[in-house]
Amino acid sequence: MDYEVLSPWAHVDKANATTMRPRLKDLNGKTIGLFSHFKEHSPLILKEVERQLKEKYPSARFSHYQYIRDTAEIINDEKYKPSFMEWLKGTDAVISAYGDAGSCSMFVAYNSAFIESQGKPVVMLVKEDLARPAQRGASARLAPRLRMVKTGIMDMSMLFSLEGVEEKIIRPGITPVIGDIIDALTTPLTKEEKNQVAVEDQSGTVFKGNLEEVNNFFYKKGWTNGAPIIPPTEEAVAVMLKGTDLPRDYVVAKIPPMLGNATVEKIAVNAVMAGCLPIYMPVLIAAVR
């Protein structure tokens, strides 16, 4: 038996998509902002970047800002945003660090995308095996072309002491990529980077196949974690919608990380997938809200 199924993916408003900012022609005489996350070793990494850049660009200036909150976006932080915005005004470009864990990679990317949206060219440093979550974070904030430089520097959070890490871990990790950091700040934008970001809208995607094919398709799309789903056909969604008087196109909320429009219909699609009953809809809508 074949099922024609609806997408659980919400429509994302792309009006605020980030356009990449022009790169610097040269670093001499420029003020480079060094934006670090909450971990103690993050500023140490950026201090080594500063040291090596100073050797190549003696007239360059550097300004540090450490955002000490874990898994938070500074755009929404009433306490730190004012000082951050004042700091950002005094920079010509920004280097952010460090994507050394899954959540760190995502949130450094979120904050880096925000910096780029404020008119400052950015390059983000990320541990080489965490480039994908960092890229997903940038894409979630509509900046999928955010420039990143991969390094082999480990997550030093679990070290008993940071004594000697500059010479033993950080410097050997930065030296091979300092040229890449410079290039990311100075190489002119490509044609693709100059264009408005293209984010695929999968909210209208329709797929037809048998039960196994539907489950495989949803898994490949990243719409499930691999657990079996009930196919969200139009008929099944229509039955689910009987559990609410709200119109199917009513937007209940915008859902992170991409701030997709959680319409009543999309809630119903996801409810069908999870095996819910129509009487659950008021509770699901309240939970989403």
Side-chain angles (χ1 to χ4, degrees):
M1 177 180 177
D2 279 355
Y3 300 88
E4 187 170 312
V5 294
L6 305 179
S7 168
W9 192 261
H11 173 72
V12 176
D13 183 3
K14 294 177 278 189
N16 295 320
T18 298
T19 301
M20 293 282 288
R21 304 302 170 181
R23 304 293 106 170
L24 302 179
K25 292 183 179 180
D26 188 87
L27 300 188
N28 277 313
K30 299 297 190 297
T31 298
I32 308 301
L34 301 168
F35 178 75
S36 55
H37 66 32
F38 69 100
K39 293 180 180 177
E40 187 179 359
H41 57 262
S42 182
L44 298 180
I45 292 172
L46 289 173
K47 285 179 181 178
E48 177 60 25
V49 171
E50 175 183 355
R51 189 190 69 80
Q52 295 198 27
L53 287 179
K54 274 184 175 179
E55 291 180 350
K56 299 177 180 294
Y57 302 95
S59 63
R61 299 177 295 273
F62 297 88
S63 176
H64 291 258
Y65 190 101
Q66 184 177 18
Y67 184 40
I68 61 173
R69 293 198 194 277
D70 184 9
T71 58
E73 293 185 69
I74 205 160
I75 187 176
N76 301 319
D77 194 322
E78 294 182 1
K79 179 177 180 180
Y80 288 96
K81 185 180 177 182
S83 63
F84 171 76
M85 295 301 293
E86 188 63 31
W87 170 79
L88 193 60
K89 287 180 185 177
T91 66
D92 296 301
V94 174
I95 302 169
S96 61
Y98 178 53
D100 54 7
S103 58
C104 292
S105 298
M106 291 282 284
F107 279 88
V108 173
Y110 291 162
N111 287 317
S112 299
F114 174 63
I115 293 171
E116 189 90 35
S117 75
Q118 298 304 297
K120 305 293 182 178
V122 178
V123 56
M124 173 182 165
L125 304 186
V126 60
K127 191 170 178 285
E128 53 196 359
D129 60 347
L130 290 167
R132 184 172 181 180
Q135 188 61 51
R136 288 176 68 98
S139 296
R141 291 300 174 266
L142 303 181
R145 300 187 184 112
L146 186 76
R147 288 187 174 180
M148 300 182 186
V149 170
K150 303 174 187 177
T151 87
I153 299 175
M154 63 181 287
D155 181 358
M156 293 174 272
S157 302
M158 303 307 292
L159 294 180
F160 180 74
S161 170
L162 292 180
E163 184 178 354
V165 296
E166 292 96 331
E167 294 77 16
K168 296 177 182 178
I169 298 175
I170 296 175
R171 189 162 301 159
I174 292 299
T175 300
V177 300
I178 194 67
D180 296 331
I181 294 172
I182 294 169
D183 289 344
L185 289 175
T186 60
T187 300
L189 298 179
T190 64
K191 181 179 179 180
E192 291 75 18
E193 288 176 327
K194 289 179 181 178
N195 293 334
Q196 183 75 348
V197 61
V199 178
E200 183 183 0
D201 184 0
Q202 303 181 79
S203 60
T205 300
V206 175
F207 179 78
K208 188 173 183 178
N210 61 36
L211 185 60
E212 182 180 1
E213 290 168 338
V214 168
N215 273 273
N216 286 339
F217 178 78
F218 275 52
Y219 180 68
K220 289 177 181 177
K221 283 286 188 180
W223 296 343
T224 78
N225 62 2
I229 62 163
I230 294 176
T233 63
E234 174 59 46
E235 295 77 13
V237 171
V239 171
M240 189 64 64
L241 288 168
K242 292 181 179 180
T244 177
D245 292 331
L246 291 171
R248 66 192 298 161
D249 61 350
Y250 177 78
V251 178
V252 176
K254 291 183 178 293
I255 301 298
M258 295 187 72
L259 302 181
N261 294 322
T263 62
V264 172
E265 178 187 76
K266 292 302 181 183
I267 294 172
V269 170
N270 283 273
V272 170
M273 290 167 57
C276 296
L277 298 175
I279 58 172
Y280 299 170
M281 280 296 288
V283 176
L284 297 175
I285 289 169
V288 170
R289 181 178 288 117

